[in-house]
């Protein structure tokens, strides 16, 4: 059983650029959530995808967008990067459907992508 | 609004000593509660979770947590800390079926030899 894989592990971008982060969910999981973790803070929920549809969104602007593919892998896209977007971006997968929130199984987190915006 | 407070930002304990990390939550109904651990440069590893039933929950690595509804708390404990337990610990709550975890700010655990 493979875990959650995120790529790349580290990334440096310039303010105003666009970035795409990728996540391969754990085998058999159909729900993917994305979190932003600023230095010294707890993770903040960005959004969740279930069967290729957005299933909840946190307090993030529209320039944060996502996709989920038929194999349940996912992408996080951020446009018009700002310095405050520098953070560790975590992907979490779970074996849950819409409305159940992963409660019976918990979430499996990847190691994250460290994004630095300069 | 749902929230999680971890009052202790940093805790230092001696190896072999007992440990208790505090977590208080704010949620109207019975919450789903989690403790995660994060080593430097790593993702989050689930230590234990509480959904319902027995309020004392056993987790991995010898950790346990007790849900106390009257105090809105879910404190993490370990009888004897090992040097490898040094890490960042996060308490989280999931409200209902939102699919959204709300995390506390985290507690950094340092273990003295």
């Amino acid at each position: 059983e493979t875990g959650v894989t995120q790529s790349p592990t580290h990334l440096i971008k310039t303010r105003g650029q666009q970035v795409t982060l990728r996540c391969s969910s754990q085998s058999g999981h159909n729900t993917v959530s994305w979190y932003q973790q600023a230095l010294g803070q707890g993770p903040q929920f960005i959004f969740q995808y279930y069967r290729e549809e957005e299933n909840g969104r946190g307090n993030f602007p529209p320039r944060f967008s996502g996709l989920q593919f038929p194999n349940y892998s996912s992408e996080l896209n951020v446009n018009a990067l700002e310095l405050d977007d520098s953070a560790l971006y975590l992907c979490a997968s779970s074996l849950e459907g819409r409305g159940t929130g992963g409660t019976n199984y918990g979430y499996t987190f990847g190691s994250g992508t460290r994004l630095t915006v300069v | 609004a749902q929230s999680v407070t971890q009052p202790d930002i940093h805790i230092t304990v001696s190896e072999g000593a007992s440990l208790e990390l505090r977590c208080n939550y704010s949620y109207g109904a019975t919450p789903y509660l989690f403790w995660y651990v994060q080593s430097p440069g790593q993702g989050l590893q689930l230590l234990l979770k509480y959904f319902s039933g027995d309020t004392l929950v056993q987790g991995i690595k010898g950790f346990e947590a007790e849900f106390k509804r009257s105090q809105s708390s879910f404190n993490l404990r370990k009888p004897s800390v090992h040097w490898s337990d040094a890490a960042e610990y996060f308490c989280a709550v999931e409200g209902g079926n939102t699919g959204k975890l709300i995390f506390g700010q985290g507690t950094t655990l340092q273990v003295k030899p």
Side-chain angles (χ1 to χ4, degrees):
Chain A
E1 177 181 274
T2 59
V4 175
T5 304
Q6 292 187 242
S7 63
T9 55
H10 294 81
L11 200 53
I12 300 175
K13 288 286 190 178
T14 303
R15 189 171 52 182
Q17 284 187 315
Q18 178 265 345
V19 68
T20 297
L21 310 182
R22 295 178 175 83
C23 172
S24 295
S25 59
Q26 183 169 315
S27 176
H29 284 187
N30 57 16
T31 304
V32 173
S33 303
W34 285 92
Y35 289 81
Q36 180 195 66
Q37 186 179 17
L39 201 61
Q41 302 294 318
Q44 299 286 318
F45 177 76
I46 303 175
F47 43 56
Q48 182 183 85
Y49 278 83
Y50 167 64
R51 293 186 177 178
E52 304 178 58
E53 290 187 10
E54 188 176 288
N55 180 38
R57 187 179 182 93
N59 189 26
F60 280 82
R63 59 189 185 86
F64 285 78
S65 63
L67 284 173
Q68 187 179 32
F69 300 99
N71 66 356
Y72 304 128
S73 66
S74 177
E75 287 183 354
L76 164 65
N77 298 289
V78 186
N79 294 321
L81 283 167
E82 301 177 0
L83 297 179
D84 285 348
D85 295 333
S86 296
L88 180 67
Y89 288 84
L90 296 165
C91 169
S93 73
S94 62
L95 179 59
E96 286 292 317
R98 180 186 293 273
T100 52
T103 55
N104 289 334
Y105 302 96
Y107 297 87
T108 301
F109 279 81
S111 296
T113 295
R114 172 72 64 187
L115 173 64
T116 302
V117 182
V118 297
Chain B
Q2 301 156 19
S3 66
V4 175
T5 301
Q6 294 179 245
D8 305 305
I9 295 174
H10 192 108
I11 283 184
T12 300
V13 300
S14 297
E15 189 168 16
S18 64
L19 171 70
E20 182 170 31
L21 302 182
R22 296 184 290 165
C23 172
N24 294 99
Y25 67 88
S26 173
Y27 183 65
T30 300
Y32 301 126
L33 294 160
F34 305 80
W35 273 100
Y36 284 89
V37 61
Q38 185 177 38
S39 297
Q42 298 297 311
L44 302 173
Q45 181 182 21
L46 179 67
L47 288 175
L48 47 79
K49 56 186 183 287
Y50 172 79
F51 298 147
S52 64
D54 193 349
T55 56
L56 185 62
V57 181
Q58 301 298 320
I60 63 171
K61 303 184 178 185
F63 285 93
E64 66 178 26
E66 186 171 11
F67 170 60
K68 292 185 177 180
R69 183 190 302 275
S70 62
Q71 298 177 18
S72 297
S73 70
F74 188 58
N75 294 348
L76 181 72
R77 301 194 294 250
K78 186 169 184 178
S80 178
V81 170
H82 187 264
W83 64 265
S84 61
D85 293 324
E88 187 87 14
Y89 290 80
F90 292 96
C91 180
V93 62
E94 180 181 9
N97 293 326
T98 63
K100 168 184 174 181
L101 287 173
I102 298 169
F103 287 86
Q105 192 167 359
T107 297
T108 301
L109 173 65
Q110 183 178 2
V111 180
K112 293 190 300 184

